[in-house]
């Protein structure tokens, strides 16, 4: 199945016209014609099946013939991850986290962060592509970059709050702390790890120090291990 995305589509829509780039893909690449069907999601849990009325490479017009809605998960996973030095590594994390099942992502700028900016529009496109590729109907939310201190002071999410760091101290493996059907927020630091002040502040705010294994992991690898662990516990 080839899945298309349009955020403005809702369950009141009867007809829909694809933009030129997607129209060309449908007609020229997929070789769809009048009477064929395509699937569209709005990223909010809805899946629409549509019949092609006009197979035009510049203006492919369809009619909505059915809709269904994905049952929401019983938990939400919020990953607060420091931007990596190389953009492509962060994009890899976004892609894989979407496939595994993340709900919200916040890039946090830490004391040891080497990269302090990201291209939000590009990141959103990565999420959209991963959602379509993995045939999901809910698009993860990505927030603008925020300082670590501001995030830790303003994040009011319920459920479990964890911080994964490499400093010595009492920590328990994430898989032994996660409980199914509970919301989870996980902090993952930059290549240079969190600073001592950042770790101390997280403890003051109720974040639980956790371990992701014995090996030292890259930022994006640690984030994927965390996502996978939470998904496995909940599945």
């Amino acid at each position: 199945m080839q899945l298309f995305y349009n955020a403005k589509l809702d369950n009141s829509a009867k007809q829909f016209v694809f933009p030129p780039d997607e129209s060309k893909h449908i007609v020229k690449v997929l070789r769809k014609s009048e009477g064929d069907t395509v699937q569209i999601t709005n990223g909010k849990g809805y899946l629409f099946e549509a019949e092609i009325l006009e197979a035009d490479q510049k203006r492919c017009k369809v009619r909505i013939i059915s809709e269904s809605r994905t049952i929401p998960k019983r938990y939400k996973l919020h990953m607060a991850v420091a931007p990596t030095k190389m953009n492509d590594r962060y994009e890899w994390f976004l892609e894989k986290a979407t496939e595994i099942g993340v709900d919200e992502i916040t890039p946090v700028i830490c004391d040891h962060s080497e990269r302090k900016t990201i291209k939000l529009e590009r990141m959103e496109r990565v999420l959209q592509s991963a959602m379509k590729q993995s045939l999901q109907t809910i698009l993860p939310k990505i927030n603008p970059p925020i300082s670590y201190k501001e995030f830790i002071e303003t994040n009011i999410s319920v459920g479990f709050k964890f911080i994964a760091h490499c400093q010595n101290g009492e920590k328990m493996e994430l898989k032994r702390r996660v409980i199914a059907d509970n919301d989870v927020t996980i902090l993952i630091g930059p290549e240079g790890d969190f600073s001592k002040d950042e770790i101390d502040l997280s403890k003051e705010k109720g974040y639980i120090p956790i371990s992701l294994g014995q090996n030292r992991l890259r930022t994006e690898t640690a984030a994927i291990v965390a996502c996978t662990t939470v998904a496995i516990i909940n599945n």
Side-chain angles (χ1 to χ4, degrees):
M1 183 177 77
Q2 178 82 39
L3 185 62
F4 294 89
Y5 168 69
N6 188 281
K8 297 180 180 179
L9 203 59
D10 59 32
N11 55 1
S12 66
K14 303 300 180 184
Q15 294 186 351
F16 173 71
V17 176
F18 283 98
D21 57 336
E22 291 189 330
S23 293
K24 183 177 181 180
H25 183 74
I26 291 169
V27 178
K28 191 169 183 179
V29 179
L30 299 180
R31 300 184 181 278
K32 297 284 188 178
S33 57
E34 283 84 357
D36 290 340
T37 58
V38 293
Q39 284 71 38
I40 316 166
T41 182
N42 60 3
K44 303 177 181 69
Y46 281 94
L47 178 66
F48 301 91
E49 185 173 16
E51 178 187 7
I52 297 176
L53 299 177
E54 299 176 17
D56 190 309
Q57 289 189 33
K58 295 183 179 179
R59 189 178 181 277
C60 182
K61 185 177 181 180
V62 299
R63 174 176 65 90
I64 306 298
I65 57 177
S66 69
E67 68 176 64
S68 59
R69 189 174 187 184
T70 301
I71 299 174
K73 296 184 301 183
R74 299 173 70 175
Y75 73 97
K76 291 188 181 300
L77 173 59
H78 184 175
M79 295 296 299
V81 183
T84 53
K85 184 177 180 180
M86 303 298 292
N87 271 329
D88 59 342
R89 285 164 49 194
Y90 205 80
E91 291 176 10
W92 179 83
F93 150 63
L94 294 175
E95 178 185 273
K96 301 310 174 188
T98 300
E99 293 176 16
I100 294 166
V102 68
D103 298 281
E104 187 173 358
I105 299 151
T106 301
V108 289
I109 310 303
C110 303
D111 290 343
H112 297 157
S113 290
E114 294 188 61
R115 179 175 292 278
K116 300 183 184 297
T117 61
I118 67 166
K119 297 179 180 178
L120 200 60
E121 289 185 7
R122 180 178 175 85
M123 300 299 180
E124 288 175 344
R125 290 196 296 271
V126 171
L127 295 177
Q128 292 171 18
S129 177
M131 176 192 67
K132 292 188 293 182
Q133 186 277 329
S134 55
L135 302 180
Q136 298 187 63
T137 61
I138 298 177
L139 181 68
K141 177 184 178 183
I142 184 163
N143 299 311
I146 187 174
S147 72
Y148 176 90
K149 184 175 181 180
E150 186 176 356
F151 178 84
I152 214 90
E153 295 281 0
T154 60
N155 180 39
I156 56 174
S157 56
V158 297
F160 291 97
K161 298 189 293 185
F162 300 113
I163 179 171
H165 64 78
C166 302
Q167 303 295 321
N168 293 328
E170 185 178 351
K171 290 181 281 187
M172 187 176 287
E173 291 185 23
L174 177 61
K175 65 183 179 181
R176 303 187 186 282
R177 297 306 306 256
V178 174
I179 298 176
D181 301 334
N182 282 269
D183 293 349
V184 179
T185 299
I186 303 177
L187 280 164
I188 304 289
E191 282 88 338
D193 200 9
F194 294 110
S195 67
K196 183 180 183 303
D197 288 344
E198 288 170 336
I199 295 171
D200 291 342
L201 180 59
S202 73
K203 294 177 182 178
E204 292 176 13
K205 298 299 180 179
Y207 283 78
I208 302 170
I210 50 97
S211 167
L212 298 173
Q214 295 182 348
N215 298 339
R216 189 178 182 93
L217 305 175
R218 287 180 178 269
T219 295
E220 70 277 13
T221 309
I224 291 303
V225 170
C227 288
T228 303
T229 301
V230 174
I232 290 173
I233 296 297
N234 279 278
N235 290 327

